[in-house]
Amino acid sequence: MRLEKCYFCSSTVYPGHGIMFVRNDSKVFRFCRSKCHKNFKKRRNPRKTRWTKAFRKAAGKEMVMDTTFDFEKRRNRPVKYDRDLVAKTVKVMKRVADIKERRAAAFYEMRMKSARKEAVTRARKEIAEDIRLLEPVPTKDVVLKKKDKGPAQMELAD
């Protein structure tokens, strides 16, 4: 069973699913859903379409170079079935998935570290520009007490 990649969004296309488009020069394009196929026909660039994997990699939101990606490469060499080899392969696939997940989490943390610093500097700048943001919000009781007093008493109280 071969799992293909969508030409447009890079998601997995399972057997019996998606659309296959064969161009006149016999180049095969596989699409996971009609959304990808329509965007391809509209000649949209996957690197500029925000929901694609290509955009996320180009924008630096996902890992681009990692040794775990070598395991996903397509191999066309047929291998004779061997029960031990299949068992080892499945075990290694699980281990690679765990490693990949940990590296992706670390990459996300590194990305968010700079975003947190930027958010703090933005907040400090906003407070410096408008210090009224730090004034306590009047509660319901304070507002009611001010309404109970007459206008002359309110001036004296302030």
Side-chain angles (χ1 to χ4, degrees):
M1 178 172 83
R2 170 161 285 170
L3 302 179
E4 304 287 343
K5 290 285 180 191
C6 176
Y7 180 80
F8 195 78
C9 71
S10 303
S11 65
T12 308
V13 181
Y14 291 94
H17 292 260
I19 301 161
M20 186 191 323
F21 172 68
V22 183
R23 207 164 50 189
N24 287 342
D25 63 352
S26 71
K27 169 100 171 80
V28 177
F29 300 95
R30 293 187 184 272
F31 303 103
C32 58
R33 53 187 178 253
S34 61
K35 177 182 180 180
C36 296
H37 188 217
K38 287 174 186 174
N39 279 295
F40 176 78
K41 287 193 290 188
K42 289 179 182 177
R43 296 180 177 269
R44 290 214 174 122
N45 189 347
R47 284 169 292 173
K48 293 183 181 177
T49 308
R50 294 185 67 90
W51 50 269
T52 63
K53 205 127 174 118
F55 174 85
R56 293 186 60 78
K57 286 184 179 181
K61 294 180 179 290
E62 285 191 11
M63 292 188 297
V64 179
M65 297 298 294
D66 193 27
T67 54
T68 57
F69 294 144
D70 294 339
F71 294 105
E72 289 184 12
K73 285 185 180 172
R74 187 172 166 176
R75 293 168 187 83
N76 288 325
R77 186 181 306 144
V79 179
K80 188 175 179 184
Y81 177 77
D82 181 15
R83 189 178 198 154
D84 295 333
L85 179 66
V86 171
K88 284 181 183 177
T89 304
V90 169
K91 192 183 291 186
V92 168
M93 285 170 60
K94 289 178 183 175
R95 186 150 184 245
V96 167
D98 291 340
I99 292 169
K100 193 173 177 182
E101 193 174 300
R102 275 191 265 125
R103 288 184 181 173
F107 180 77
Y108 177 80
E109 286 298 319
M110 290 296 291
R111 263 187 47 232
M112 291 299 115
K113 204 177 276 186
S114 62
R116 278 189 220 113
K117 288 179 184 175
E118 289 176 16
V120 167
T121 55
R122 252 188 274 117
R124 286 186 178 156
K125 183 179 176 185
E126 187 177 355
I127 289 170
E129 289 175 1
D130 193 9
I131 196 69
R132 290 184 305 122
L133 295 173
L134 294 179
E135 288 180 5
V137 178
T139 60
K140 200 173 189 179
D141 298 332
V142 174
V143 173
L144 291 175
K145 285 180 185 176
K146 284 188 178 182
K147 284 184 181 177
D148 291 341
K149 296 179 183 178
Q153 291 177 346
M154 279 182 59
E155 290 174 11
L156 294 175
D158 289 334

